[in-house]
Amino acid sequence: FFVAFMQIAVMNILTGIFVEQAMKLARPDRDQLAYKQRRAEIAEAAELRKMIRDMDKDGDGTIKRSELCEYIDDGKLKAFLMTLGLNLKNADLFFHIIDAAKDEIDIETFVQECMNLRGNASNFDLAYLIIHMREIEKRQQEFHSETMDTLRRRSGNPDGDHELQARDPD
């Protein structure tokens, strides 16, 4: 009885070790998954870059708002951007989001911005926005305080009362 029990126990241990090793090998490696994802991102960026270069009619290495709007109407770029998670409904608004300052943007910057905008907003993105909005609020409050101080001084109310004295036009 003891010998049979020991054989079953040893077989159970060996089976457990074998199953554990098999599960480790079946589980995907994090580095390998990250590598595959990065390669996919690079391939998507390269394909987008090729499409944008084809869109650049004058060959100056920049995309103009008019070129983007015309090419978006074709549908191929719009469909590709949708696969990236960019649902492009308004080409003018999209162009304004990626480059608000100018009417044209270089191809590499365009590709980078598209790749940054793809997918859903992450918690990190939202946290960044909250911090940025707090900074804007702080600057706005400082500006408001400075403006109110200036108005108080000019109105002859240096006491700091919240109500400004109205001046008579006489």
Side-chain angles (χ1 to χ4, degrees):
F1 172 75
F2 181 72
V3 174
F5 179 74
M6 288 305 289
Q7 284 181 338
I8 291 173
V10 169
M11 288 300 287
N12 196 10
I13 292 171
L14 291 175
T15 302
I17 292 171
F18 176 74
V19 169
E20 183 181 347
Q21 290 298 322
M23 292 300 289
K24 281 183 182 178
L25 292 175
R27 197 173 336 142
D29 183 24
R30 285 185 181 175
D31 292 337
Q32 188 178 20
L33 287 175
Y35 178 73
K36 284 182 180 180
Q37 183 176 356
R38 182 65 183 139
R39 285 189 63 175
E41 288 175 4
I42 291 171
E44 288 171 345
E47 188 174 346
L48 178 60
R49 192 173 292 109
K50 182 183 179 307
M51 290 177 112
I52 300 304
R53 284 191 179 124
D54 291 343
M55 186 172 68
D56 184 18
K57 291 181 181 178
D58 53 8
D60 64 351
T62 62
I63 297 300
K64 293 169 185 53
R65 186 181 305 258
S66 58
E67 291 173 330
L68 178 67
C69 292
E70 183 180 321
Y71 204 70
I72 289 294
D73 290 339
D74 179 32
K76 186 177 177 184
L77 178 62
K78 187 174 186 177
F80 182 73
L81 290 174
M82 286 182 81
T83 65
L84 294 179
L86 294 170
N87 190 1
L88 186 61
K89 294 180 181 175
N90 183 331
D92 283 326
L93 178 61
F94 181 72
F95 199 89
H96 182 72
I97 289 170
I98 60 174
D99 191 38
K102 300 176 269 177
D103 199 35
E104 67 180 21
I105 185 170
D106 68 282
I107 292 173
E108 204 51 46
T109 303
F110 182 88
V111 170
Q112 282 288 330
E113 290 299 322
C114 286
M115 297 306 287
N116 289 341
L117 287 173
R118 67 193 180 111
N120 297 326
S122 67
N123 289 339
F124 180 80
D125 296 330
L126 296 178
Y128 171 77
L129 284 176
I130 290 169
I131 290 169
H132 191 65
M133 291 304 294
R134 285 180 184 156
E135 290 173 1
I136 291 172
E137 181 182 19
K138 182 181 174 186
R139 281 190 240 141
Q140 188 177 19
Q141 286 174 347
E142 290 171 356
F143 176 74
H144 179 263
S145 295
E146 290 172 7
T147 304
M148 291 304 291
D149 289 344
T150 301
L151 287 173
R152 282 185 194 100
R153 282 193 307 272
R154 289 186 179 179
S155 69
N157 186 8
D159 301 337
D161 294 339
H162 292 290
E163 294 292 322
L164 292 176
Q165 297 174 352
R167 290 187 179 187
D168 276 337
D170 295 332

